[in-house]
Amino acid sequence: GPDKLKQQHIAWVANSWNIYFDKPCHFEDTVQLATWAHKFDRVFAHRNCSITNADGELCLRADSLWFLMDLEKKIPAHEKGTGGTL
């Protein structure tokens, strides 16, 4: 969790986002947000998210690439203190 990352001086940093707007959401619409990681590769994590409206229609999709940063050295971390899993 965030406290463990802070103790180890590492953080996940967003590198890039691809966002696809499929249908507009309107003010005061009820929406459902979802996010999930789908691939880990050394210091990188790929994460998707979506927003659907109350009718179950997909409004937004996004995929993002994150990397693990060593906050002391200001360089990508290599599974520092993660027990080999990210």
Side-chain angles (χ1 to χ4, degrees), residues 17-23 25 49-53 57-62:
W17 285 86
N18 292 310
I19 303 172
Y20 308 95
F21 296 95
D22 297 312
K23 183 177 182 75
C25 292
C49 65
S50 66
I51 299 175
T52 55
N53 63 20
E57 299 170 314
L58 192 59
C59 297
L60 178 138
R61 308 172 272 131

Side-chain angles (χ1 to χ4, degrees), residues 39-46 79 86:
K39 182 179 177 185
F40 293 99
D41 181 24
R42 295 184 46 163
V43 299
F44 293 102
H46 300 259
E79 301 179 16
L86 298 176

Side-chain angles (χ1 to χ4, degrees), residues 4-22:
K4 185 174 181 179
L5 293 175
K6 186 176 179 179
Q7 289 173 343
Q8 296 171 352
H9 305 285
I10 56 178
W12 284 106
V13 178
N15 183 64
S16 63
W17 285 86
N18 292 310
I19 303 172
Y20 308 95
F21 296 95
D22 297 312

